[in-house]
Amino acid sequence: MLAAGAQIAITATTNRVYERARELDATGKNVVAIVADLTEEDRAQHIVDTVMQRSGRIDVLVNNAGMAQTGRLLEGKTVRESSYADWCRQIEITLHTAFLMTRAVLPVMSQRKYGRIVNVSS
């Protein structure tokens, strides 16, 4: 998408997102990096507001939250080994973040009568 001329916003829970943004676009003109824990409801709206201030539009949302967060390890690896808390955290990271971001971006897309939402599973 970047090669096709799109402006991109990327998020992560740590400052590593800034390094990734520089890898994608050393000029900083076409990629904005935002540190945010998308399991926190207000952060999704913050991202939408930031992107709208920068570019004035959002055409595509790609929900691609990872299976884990840096600095927050999940103890179990299988269902048998996982605790209920592990399960809840996975649902929060992969499903709730998609819901929160989708809900935050829908008014912007609805107003323009255009937008695409892509959900990617890890």
Side-chain angles (χ1 to χ4, degrees):
M1 289 170 42
L2 188 60
Q7 291 186 359
I8 307 291
I10 59 174
T11 67
T13 57
T14 67
N15 288 340
R16 69 187 166 104
V17 72
Y18 299 120
E19 181 181 329
R20 184 66 182 129
R22 283 189 299 276
E23 290 171 5
L24 293 170
D25 178 23
T27 70
K29 293 179 184 177
N30 296 310
V31 177
V32 61
I34 304 166
V35 175
D37 181 345
L38 296 180
T39 63
E40 297 173 9
E41 188 171 359
D42 65 323
R43 300 310 292 162
Q45 189 61 53
H46 169 74
I47 290 168
V48 170
D49 293 344
T50 299
V51 172
M52 288 301 293
Q53 288 171 2
R54 182 177 167 117
S55 66
R57 59 194 271 188
I58 299 174
D59 295 321
V60 179
L61 167 66
V62 178
N63 286 313
N64 189 31
M67 292 301 291
Q69 289 179 311
T70 301
R72 293 180 127 176
L73 299 176
L74 296 175
E75 295 176 15
K77 297 196 187 275
T78 67
V79 171
R80 181 175 261 174
E81 296 168 336
S82 296
S83 68
Y84 181 65
D86 292 337
W87 169 259
C88 290
R89 186 69 186 146
Q90 286 290 49
I91 294 298
E92 189 176 35
I93 291 169
T94 57
L95 186 58
H96 293 179
T97 58
F99 168 79
L100 292 172
M101 282 305 302
T102 298
R103 186 179 66 181
V105 81
L106 278 176
V108 171
M109 290 181 172
S110 294
Q111 183 178 9
R112 287 189 60 230
K113 295 184 174 36
Y114 181 82
R116 300 293 183 262
I117 298 172
V118 179
N119 294 305
V120 179
S121 61
S122 300

